[in-house]
Amino acid sequence: MTDSKWKKFFAVNSKPTSATFPELPDMITWLRMGLALLYGLSLGLRDTAGGVGVIFGLNVITFVPIIYISSVLDANTDTYKNLNFVGVPNALALMLLVWLYLFTMEHAEDEAALGAAVVQVVKTVVEGGEETLEGLGEEAAPPLPDEAEF
């Protein structure tokens, strides 16, 4: 990225359009990726668990750039195709990836315990045969009828 792109991106009240600043969607995507990386690091280092952090992160990734576009740049968003939400899924994926990586690194013993439990269940089912499968909870997963409509 050249310096002129960054100058345009940080120019206050520049009122960019798709003709004067066609790189704006790419720049917004990079802004969202940066926010996602920082917020994912924050979630992982704070050892946050649960959906509240993800929802708040999605809000940060989505709405901070929209506010920047409308308030600071005063961009004409009608001239761009899908400018407001460009890069949101990619940034959300990056945030989740960073958060899950750090969270998993902090909880290695829990991951090992889960792996051992899964191996034990699989081993029990494989060695036990049909009689073991019958006792695993038929009420949770009822058998399919003979003529299933697939």
Side-chain angles (χ1 to χ4, degrees), residues 116-139:
V118 168
V119 166
Q120 183 61 36
V121 168
V122 169
K123 187 176 180 182
T124 303
V125 169
V126 169
E127 290 176 356
E130 288 294 323
E131 59 276 357
T132 305
L133 290 175
E134 291 175 5
L136 287 178
E138 291 180 25
E139 60 276 350

Side-chain angles (χ1 to χ4, degrees), residues 24-47:
L24 183 59
D26 294 335
M27 302 298 284
I28 293 297
T29 300
W30 282 110
L31 174 64
R32 284 194 166 115
M33 291 294 199
L35 289 171
L37 181 65
L38 292 174
Y39 195 76
L41 285 170
S42 171
L43 286 175
L45 295 175
R46 289 184 292 137
D47 201 29

Side-chain angles (χ1 to χ4, degrees), residues 12-124:
V12 178
N13 290 325
S14 60
K15 299 181 186 344
T17 64
S18 61
T20 61
F21 191 23
E23 300 89 3
L24 183 59
D26 294 335
M27 302 298 284
I28 293 297
T29 300
W30 282 110
L31 174 64
R32 284 194 166 115
M33 291 294 199
L35 289 171
L37 181 65
L38 292 174
Y39 195 76
L41 285 170
S42 171
L43 286 175
L45 295 175
R46 289 184 292 137
D47 201 29
T48 303
V52 175
V54 175
I55 297 300
F56 190 74
L58 179 62
N59 287 333
V60 167
I61 290 168
T62 303
F63 295 113
V64 168
I66 289 175
I67 292 169
Y68 180 77
I69 291 167
S70 63
S71 299
V72 176
L73 293 179
D74 197 22
N76 185 357
T77 57
D78 295 335
T79 62
Y80 292 97
K81 181 180 179 183
N82 197 19
L83 179 63
N84 286 332
F85 298 105
V86 66
V88 170
N90 302 347
L92 179 63
L94 177 64
M95 181 195 75
L96 291 173
L97 179 69
V98 170
W99 173 43
L100 289 174
Y101 177 77
L102 292 174
F103 191 85
T104 303
M105 295 299 287
E106 289 292 321
H107 296 89
E109 63 279 349
D110 295 336
E111 182 186 12
L114 176 64
V118 168
V119 166
Q120 183 61 36
V121 168
V122 169
K123 187 176 180 182
T124 303

